[in-house]
Amino acid sequence: MKKNMVVLGIIALAIGAVIVFFNCNYSKQYRNFDNEMRSRLKTVNENTDYCSADEINQLPTCLKDFCTSINLAGTKKHNVLHCLFKNADFVFNEKKGMNIQMDYDLWIFADNPLREAFCKSSIMGIPFEGIDYFDQEKRTGGMKGYIAKLFQLFDKEVPNMERTMYITLLAESAMLNPSFLFSEYIEYQEIDSTKCFTKITCNGISGEGYFTFDKERGILCYESSQRQEPEVEDGKTIPVGWRCEGGNFRNRNEFKIPSYCKVTKIYPDREVVYFDAEDYELILEK
């Protein structure tokens, strides 16, 4: 009997230790990611320039109207965007109906464009962590996934990841660090007063899309047919478009920022909002 009680006690302690470990803030993967981002931050030069009215007036009409509406003129330009999204709704697997909430730690470096991110969530009570990464020396990148803070589930290299990264960071920067719209990496062509063609080129790799700005509703969108890889459904390969949207811009210390950020996959027969966040902390540095 005593032996059984000892065994049960050990099991209970082990289960308790696992529960505590799952729920504590410590994560080796996140610590490594955060250290890497902060080490890179130290290498970035301070941007001493400010956004000017002349620069804004040289943009296509839709982006000029957008920058005017958020009071961008006269604000400091920043080389680093750090954004902490909290409890964002995320579609983990549309076909299986797996929707989760996650914290998403986003870093974008504007000087030598780079985007990386770390997500923290749980699946059936077990911690899940994911990393969007890009190696600028090897010029390859993808996604890594970890379960229970210890075990790597996958390390998937994404085709055309460099192009995907540039398109994504352009859309996100426009809404969260809009001085990036003046970047030497971007070319514009006005379509009409509400829409413009945009091409970002870095290291010989280009990504294209369209900005639209709805002045009446105060909504900025960036849409691209190059962001997502084609998917296979019912044995058929189908194209997938992509849209990033921010709206209801509100006052901040420097300029107005969106009350929500929403990202959508566009299929021929439907649209799937797979990232939707309203609660976030924006930190602009350098």
Side-chain angles (χ1 to χ4, degrees), residues 166-167 169-170 180 185-186 198-202 205-207:
Y166 294 146
I167 291 171
L169 67 83
L170 170 58
F180 187 70
Y185 300 108
I186 308 171
T198 310
K199 181 178 181 180
I200 180 170
T201 303
C202 305
I205 303 297
S206 296

Side-chain angles (χ1 to χ4, degrees), residues 215-263:
K215 287 179 65 174
E216 297 297 322
R217 297 190 297 160
I219 297 175
L220 180 69
C221 292
Y222 185 77
E223 190 167 320
S224 175
S225 61
Q226 296 183 338
R227 166 61 170 73
Q228 296 295 126
E229 291 297 311
E231 296 184 15
V232 177
E233 288 190 353
D234 300 323
K236 297 180 181 179
T237 301
I238 59 171
V240 182
W242 183 84
R243 180 170 63 245
C244 183
E245 172 187 322
N248 190 20
F249 285 76
R250 64 179 187 267
N251 286 319
R252 187 176 177 269
N253 290 342
E254 298 179 65
F255 51 83
K256 293 181 180 179
I257 59 175
S259 295
Y260 70 86
C261 296
K262 184 183 297 184
V263 187

Side-chain angles (χ1 to χ4, degrees), residues 54-68:
D54 287 341
E55 287 177 306
I56 292 173
N57 287 330
Q58 292 175 25
L59 293 171
T61 302
C62 65
L63 292 179
K64 180 168 61 177
D65 288 343
F66 166 68
C67 291
T68 300

